[in-house]
């Protein structure tokens, strides 16, 4: 895991150190040194000081870390440390030295350090400028020059001092106590201090008083309960190295597999309790069951059973009969009540307080089924949370967000939050399913002005990875360095305890999954949910797919059984969750494709309303969009290069086995899933129809409709037929 350094010098005396680690260094921080590879003993020290502009290397792109430091160059370096005064009379200041005088190249610097009693001559009265500075001598000059004795803790670290000269023993002990030296068994006191060692010494001194925080994170697990035993193993491995590491979940535990269909969050909650989650934020899918017969009771049961706090900093539960009872009266607390919702929590880590709050995307109001739950402005809520923590003297603040890394700016995202709200040190993100292999740093505000850095992380989705982040804070609570990576979970061994807990849930799911429906897929049906680089790849959220055609054909077929005038079916790409493999089709495979428990709805739209609906579907094209609609019974073309609202070019509906142009004033009977029919994914035309009571819910489960359609087909072999064509993409 590669450490990154924030360009920020944290001790005043280091501001003056420029570049003089001998020679005439010219290399900048942008050009790294060929002789200091990652993993080098002094890599961190050299990297940190180089990026801060404190040290540099040689014209041949080397640093020469093993080169010994001489006394004269040590004096030059240390003369720039602190507030040393230049002697009024160099001749007087250097009178005790026989080998240098006021005309010596570094006379001024040596005189300054001599008057400060940092350097002294030998028994013969010589300064010995070319003599190598030993490690024990370095200990003494560092202690004297930087007043390290004032920082010395009461408890001594166990270090061998048997071969250290008596005059230096106390100072070597201080370096050990402060963690400035790591060589405790053999300090090698008479050995020459090297450029690399001196860099590490200065770097460690710079970090005295700093606080290190380790975070593990996951997001958008979507009922991948079967992967949790592997995740548990990875979590335990991290905690073996750092028992104080926090574990945070950035939302969307619900929906996605048979584990949720059957157990509605209870299987997830049981395994998450075992993992030792420290905090979780509500994802939008946590509210998917709001319009079901039991409302948010399954979510309430999840909250009640969780051994960890669930955060809703910008969520208003006051009008929800079930969830309002679970909101803690203590909004921000260091002692969260089990089974309650909090706006924020305070965790103590290694004696330091860390504030944690959590934001849910405002789009949850229309991309899920929250019923009476409301979502407040995320920026305002974040500012309130930060203000509270800072009022309590807490300057290390984490936002656990389900708003997306770079999602729709009209409802906000992590990048915008980092720019708009000061005081957030770390954002653990979710919602956009973004795989951030390395943390992202935001160190400018919305006006382009420098700000304290905010580190953003997100760990892909579906428990493919466990994210880790190590951050270091200075004495002012500002991040000075960080290192983060994603740990792949695929090859991890399953934790024995987690596997045992999973077993009864797994047994039920496996039985359901294996049941064949009597239909066979002729070939694999891929469901690419994200493109690679560029815009040329296929995506269920951006273009027609064979699976999308199969699903919408099934919807249209089922709807016609109830209303023969139905001519068009629409299915949002974001609701198609996984692919299907060739061979006999099982119930489990079907339910994982359509896991949200949606029902079939009917609505009548004019041709103009249908055009507005399709315009909304392709508004972000060629970028991906969960609301991208797959169709049956019609075909249309659009041009993604045209302005939003003017993209749909042609629309045709299948009438009597012939495609005819859709007329603006004509009315067309349309079927879609209940989520889209209620205006989900921001479809205003459908939402208004729903509010007006013009939507008829047939109460037919979408996965059942899909199953019945495939059973009717027997051998299933859907194709891409040109139902949806981007003219701009086609021209390319």
């Amino acid at each position: 895991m590669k450490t990154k350094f924030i360009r920020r010098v944290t001790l005043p005396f280091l501001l003056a150190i420029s570049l003089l680690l001998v020679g005439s260094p010219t290399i900048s921080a942008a050009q790294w040194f060929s002789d200091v590879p990652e993993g080098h003993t002094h890599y961190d020290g050299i990297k940190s000081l180089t990026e801060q502009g404190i040290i540099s290397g040689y014209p041949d792109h080397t640093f020469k870390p093993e080169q010994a430091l001489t006394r004269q160059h040590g004096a030059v370096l240390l003369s720039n440390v602190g507030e040393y005064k230049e002697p009024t009379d160099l001749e007087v200041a250097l009178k005790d030295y026989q080998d240098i005088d006021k005309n010596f190249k570094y006379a001024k610097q040596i005189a300054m350090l001599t008057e400060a009693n940092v350097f002294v001559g030998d028994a013969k009265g010589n300064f010995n400028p070319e003599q190598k500075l030993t490690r024990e001598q370095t200990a003494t000059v560092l202690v004297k020059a930087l007043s390290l004795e004032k920082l010395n803790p009461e408890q001594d670290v166990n270090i061998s001092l048997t071969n250290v000269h008596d005059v230096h023993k106390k100072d070597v002990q201080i370096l050990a106590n402060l963690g400035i030296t790591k060589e405790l068994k053999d300090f090698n006191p008479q050995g020459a201090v090297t450029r690399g060692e001196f860099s590490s010494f200065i770097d460690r001194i710079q970090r005295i008083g700093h606080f290190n925080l380790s975070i593990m994170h996951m997001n958008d697990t979507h009922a991948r309960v079967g992967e949790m035993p592997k995740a548990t193993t990875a979590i335990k491995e991290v905690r073996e190295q750092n028992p104080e590491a926090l574990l945070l979940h950035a939302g969307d535990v619900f929906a996605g597999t048979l584990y949720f269909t059957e157990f509605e969050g209870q299987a997830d909650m049981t395994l998450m309790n075992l993992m030792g989650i420290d905090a979780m934020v509500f994802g939008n899918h946590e509210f998917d069951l709001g319009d079901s017969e039991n409302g948010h009771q399954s979510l309430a049961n999840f909250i009640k059973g969780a051994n960890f706090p669930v955060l809703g900093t910008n969520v208003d539960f006051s009008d929800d009969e079930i969830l309002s009872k679970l909101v803690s009266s203590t909004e921000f607390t260091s002692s969260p009540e089990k089974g309650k919702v909090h706006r924020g929590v305070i965790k103590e880590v290694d004696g330091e307080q860390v504030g944690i709050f959590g934001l849910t995307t405002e789009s949850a109001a229309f991309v899920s089924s929250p019923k009476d739950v409301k979502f407040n402005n995320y920026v305002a809520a974040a500012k309130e949370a930060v203000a509270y923590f800072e009022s309590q003297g807490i300057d290390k603040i984490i936002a656990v967000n389900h708003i997306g890394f770079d999602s729709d700016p009209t409802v906000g995202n992590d990048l915008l939050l980092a720019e708009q709200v000061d005081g957030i040190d770390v954002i653990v993100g979710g919602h956009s399913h973004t795989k951030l292999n390395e943390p992202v740093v935001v160190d400018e505000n919305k006006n382009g002005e420098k700000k304290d850095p905010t580190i953003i992380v997100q760990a892909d989705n579906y428990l493919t990875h466990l994210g880790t982040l190590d951050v270091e804070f200075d004495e002012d609570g500002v991040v000075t360095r960080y290192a983060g990576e994603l740990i792949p979970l695929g090859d991890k061994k399953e934790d024995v305890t987690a596997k045992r807990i999973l077993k009864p849930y797994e047994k039920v799911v496996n039985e359901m999954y294996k049941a064949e429906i009597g239909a066979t897929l002729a070939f694999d049906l891929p469901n690419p949910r994200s493109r690679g680089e560029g815009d040329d790849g296929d995506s269920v959220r951006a273009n027609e797919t064979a699976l999308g055609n199969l699903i919408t054909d099934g919807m249209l077929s089922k709807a016609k059984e109830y209303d023969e005038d139905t001519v068009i079916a629409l299915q949002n790409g974001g609701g198609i969750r996984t692919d299907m493999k060739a061979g006999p089709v099982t119930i489990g495979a079907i339910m994982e494709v359509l896991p949200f428990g949606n029902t079939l709805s009917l609505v009548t739209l004019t041709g103009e309303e249908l055009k507005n609906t399709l315009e909304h579907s392709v508004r972000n094209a060629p970028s991906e969009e969960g609301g991208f609609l797959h169709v049956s019974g019609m075909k249309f073309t659009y041009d993604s290069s045209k302005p939003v609202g003017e993209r749909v070019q042609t629309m045709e509906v299948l009438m009597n086995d012939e495609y005819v142009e859709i007329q603006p004033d004509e009315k067309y009977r349309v079927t879609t899933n209940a989520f889209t029919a209620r205006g989900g994914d921001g479809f205003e035309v459908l939402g208004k129809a729903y509010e007006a009571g013009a939507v008829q819910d047939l109460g037919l489960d979408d996965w059942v409709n899909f199953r019945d359609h495939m059973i009717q087909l027997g051998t299933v072999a859907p194709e891409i037929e040109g139902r949806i064509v981007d003219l701009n993409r086609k021209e390319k």
Side-chain angles (χ1 to χ4, degrees):
M1 184 160 51
K2 185 179 293 185
T3 302
K4 303 288 186 179
F5 305 89
I6 305 298
R7 190 180 177 86
R8 174 184 165 90
V9 180
T10 58
L11 293 182
F13 64 78
L14 286 176
L15 290 169
I17 301 179
S18 55
L19 48 78
L20 293 169
L21 279 186
V22 304
S24 300
T26 59
I27 197 168
S28 69
Q31 171 65 58
W32 191 238
F33 312 114
S34 61
D35 56 350
V36 188
E38 186 175 0
H40 187 280
T41 304
H42 303 294
Y43 176 89
D44 281 354
I46 295 170
K47 182 77 170 176
S48 177
L49 271 62
T50 301
E51 292 196 350
Q52 296 177 65
I54 294 173
I55 58 175
S56 55
Y58 289 87
D60 63 353
H61 302 316
T62 63
F63 183 79
K64 297 180 173 44
E66 310 307 323
Q67 187 177 74
L69 194 66
T70 62
R71 286 170 56 83
Q72 62 181 344
H73 287 115
V76 172
L77 278 167
L78 294 172
S79 67
N80 291 317
V81 174
E83 299 180 356
Y84 297 112
K85 294 182 179 180
E86 183 178 344
T88 55
D89 190 330
L90 285 180
E91 190 171 351
V92 173
L94 299 172
K95 63 181 177 58
D96 292 333
Y97 298 133
Q98 305 299 314
D99 54 348
I100 59 173
D101 58 24
K102 65 180 182 179
N103 297 316
F104 185 72
K105 183 178 181 180
Y106 301 124
K108 181 176 69 174
Q109 292 90 339
I110 294 171
M112 291 166 63
L113 271 296
T114 299
E115 284 200 342
N117 198 35
V118 174
F119 274 100
V120 295
D122 64 15
K124 297 180 179 179
N126 293 317
F127 180 76
N128 300 311
E130 298 289 347
Q131 187 179 85
K132 295 175 182 178
L133 194 61
T134 68
R135 287 170 54 83
E136 63 182 3
Q137 289 170 346
T138 300
T140 296
V141 298
L142 287 174
V143 170
K144 289 181 177 179
L146 308 180
S147 302
L148 297 181
E149 190 168 5
K150 296 179 180 179
L151 304 175
N152 191 33
E154 294 182 3
Q155 188 69 36
D156 281 343
V157 169
N158 186 17
I159 181 174
S160 175
L161 300 174
T162 55
N163 55 350
V164 179
H165 287 115
D166 289 344
V167 69
H168 300 299
K169 283 185 176 180
K170 178 181 177 183
D171 300 318
V172 172
Q173 182 69 61
I174 290 175
L175 259 60
N177 292 346
L178 295 174
I180 298 168
T181 180
K182 307 295 185 181
E183 293 79 7
L184 304 181
K185 293 184 179 179
D186 182 8
F187 182 70
N188 187 24
Q190 281 78 51
V193 68
T194 66
R195 283 166 52 84
E197 289 171 334
F198 198 86
S199 299
S200 290
F201 286 155
I202 294 295
D203 177 52
R204 292 166 189 162
I205 292 170
Q206 188 183 35
R207 294 161 58 191
I208 293 174
H210 288 200
F211 168 66
N212 294 291
L213 176 66
S214 291
I215 299 169
M216 295 177 284
H217 58 97
M218 58 182 68
N219 59 277
D220 300 282
T221 52
H222 284 293
R224 263 51 179 193
V225 183
E227 302 301 318
M228 288 188 174
K230 293 181 178 180
T232 303
T233 295
I235 291 164
K236 287 184 175 181
E237 289 173 352
V238 173
R239 284 186 173 142
E240 285 176 3
Q241 300 297 318
N242 191 344
E244 296 267 1
L246 297 176
L247 176 58
L248 305 174
H249 195 300
D252 270 7
V253 170
F254 281 17
T257 73
L258 295 174
Y259 285 101
F260 179 73
T261 303
E262 181 66 18
F263 303 110
E264 296 187 345
Q266 289 301 295
D268 308 76
M269 177 266 293
T270 304
L271 271 295
M272 290 170 71
N273 282 343
L274 176 67
M275 290 177 180
I277 302 283
D278 288 288
M280 169 191 158
V281 67
F282 289 99
N284 54 289
H285 282 290
E286 267 67 87
F287 301 98
D288 279 350
L289 299 179
D291 286 332
S292 66
E293 181 179 352
N294 295 321
H296 288 305
Q297 188 58 55
S298 292
L299 178 55
N301 294 340
F302 177 90
I303 296 167
K304 291 176 183 178
N307 291 337
F308 47 87
V310 186
L311 306 177
T313 307
N314 68 322
V315 186
D316 181 358
F317 298 98
S318 57
D319 292 335
D320 188 273
E321 182 180 359
I322 296 174
L323 297 178
S324 60
K325 300 173 183 178
L326 301 181
V327 177
S328 173
S329 58
T330 307
E331 294 186 332
F332 295 91
T333 178
S334 57
S335 303
E337 300 175 73
K338 181 181 176 181
K340 295 288 186 179
V341 177
H342 297 81
R343 294 192 69 201
V345 294
I346 301 166
K347 298 286 294 187
E348 184 171 305
V349 182
D350 288 332
E352 293 279 346
Q353 289 187 317
V354 179
I356 306 173
F357 68 95
L359 303 172
T360 303
T361 176
E362 295 172 43
S363 69
F366 55 85
V367 300
S368 57
S369 303
K371 199 174 180 180
D372 296 323
V373 177
K374 298 179 178 64
F375 304 89
N376 298 324
N377 180 267
Y378 77 112
V379 171
K383 287 181 176 179
E384 290 177 7
V386 171
Y388 172 79
F389 289 132
E390 290 182 342
S391 73
Q392 302 301 304
I394 298 171
D395 56 11
K396 301 163 189 69
I397 300 175
I398 302 171
V400 188
N401 290 347
H402 196 84
I403 62 177
F405 174 66
D406 54 359
S407 300
D408 186 350
T410 62
V411 291
N413 57 51
D414 293 329
L415 291 171
L416 291 174
L417 179 71
E419 292 176 355
Q420 296 180 63
V421 181
D422 290 333
I424 302 174
D425 299 297
V426 175
I427 293 176
V428 173
H431 184 52
S432 55
H433 295 211
T434 305
K435 184 181 180 181
L436 293 179
N437 290 307
E438 292 187 354
V440 172
V441 180
V442 176
D443 57 5
E444 292 183 352
N445 64 22
K446 61 182 179 180
N447 299 319
E449 302 164 335
K450 280 292 182 181
K451 63 177 283 291
D452 290 340
T454 300
I455 314 300
I456 304 176
V457 294
Q458 192 171 152
D460 202 4
N461 56 28
Y462 304 156
L463 277 179
T464 56
H465 297 82
L466 174 69
T468 63
L469 175 67
D470 294 320
V471 285
E472 179 182 275
F473 297 87
D474 68 12
E475 59 273 13
D476 297 319
V478 178
V479 175
T480 55
R481 64 176 70 194
Y482 64 95
E485 66 177 349
L486 302 182
I487 300 173
L489 298 180
D491 294 332
K492 293 291 182 182
K493 292 183 179 180
E494 293 183 317
D495 179 75
V496 175
T497 303
K499 186 67 175 175
R500 175 176 53 78
I501 293 173
L502 174 66
K503 192 171 183 179
Y505 299 107
E506 187 178 45
K507 181 179 180 181
V508 174
V509 166
N510 285 343
E511 290 175 356
M512 294 177 63
Y513 189 88
K514 294 175 182 178
E516 297 180 4
I517 68 169
T520 302
L521 274 179
F523 41 75
D524 290 348
L525 293 181
N527 187 53
R529 290 181 56 81
S530 60
R531 290 171 165 165
E533 295 184 4
D535 291 325
D536 294 328
D538 287 336
S539 169
V540 71
R541 297 175 176 233
N543 52 266
E544 178 187 351
T545 66
L547 181 55
N549 289 347
L550 179 63
I551 292 170
T552 51
D553 286 350
M555 295 168 67
L556 185 57
S557 175
K558 181 65 68 172
K560 282 181 175 293
E561 295 179 13
Y562 289 81
D563 187 339
E564 62 182 13
D565 292 332
T566 307
V567 291
I568 294 171
L570 306 174
Q571 166 69 41
N572 61 313
I576 306 174
R577 302 306 288 186
T578 190
D579 59 0
M580 299 189 75
K581 302 300 182 184
V585 180
T586 63
I587 290 177
I590 295 171
M591 296 180 73
E592 289 192 349
V593 172
L594 298 172
F596 298 131
N598 266 309
T599 52
L600 203 62
S601 296
L602 292 173
V603 63
T604 299
L605 300 177
T606 66
E608 185 63 28
E609 289 173 329
L610 185 58
K611 182 179 184 296
N612 290 339
T613 299
L614 296 178
E615 288 283 5
H616 183 77
S617 168
V618 298
R619 72 192 187 283
N620 288 328
S623 298
E624 294 166 301
E625 162 63 43
F628 179 85
L629 293 175
H630 297 262
V631 302
S632 179
M634 71 166 296
K635 60 183 180 180
F636 71 97
T637 65
Y638 69 97
D639 188 338
S640 60
S641 68
K642 300 273 185 194
V644 172
E646 302 175 15
R647 295 185 164 189
V648 175
Q649 303 299 300
T650 64
M651 299 186 301
E652 296 177 297
V653 63
L654 188 63
M655 295 284 194
N656 300 318
D657 297 326
E658 182 181 354
Y659 281 102
V660 297
E661 185 178 352
I662 291 175
Q663 301 299 317
D665 297 331
E666 290 289 331
K667 293 182 179 180
Y668 302 90
R669 195 66 165 157
V670 178
T671 185
T672 186
N673 60 57
F675 167 75
T676 306
R678 292 193 300 268
D681 280 324
F683 285 100
E684 292 185 2
V685 169
L686 294 169
K688 289 179 181 178
Y690 180 77
E691 291 175 2
V695 173
Q696 178 186 359
D697 192 329
L698 299 178
L700 304 171
D701 291 334
D702 54 2
W703 76 268
V704 174
N705 307 329
F706 190 32
R707 178 200 63 187
D708 292 348
H709 179 60
M710 284 192 283
I711 291 173
Q712 187 177 20
L713 292 174
T715 298
V716 183
E719 298 177 354
I720 295 176
E721 304 171 353
R723 299 181 186 183
I724 307 169
V725 176
D726 180 357
L727 299 175
N728 184 48
R729 188 180 183 205
K730 184 178 181 181
E731 290 171 1
K732 294 179 179 179

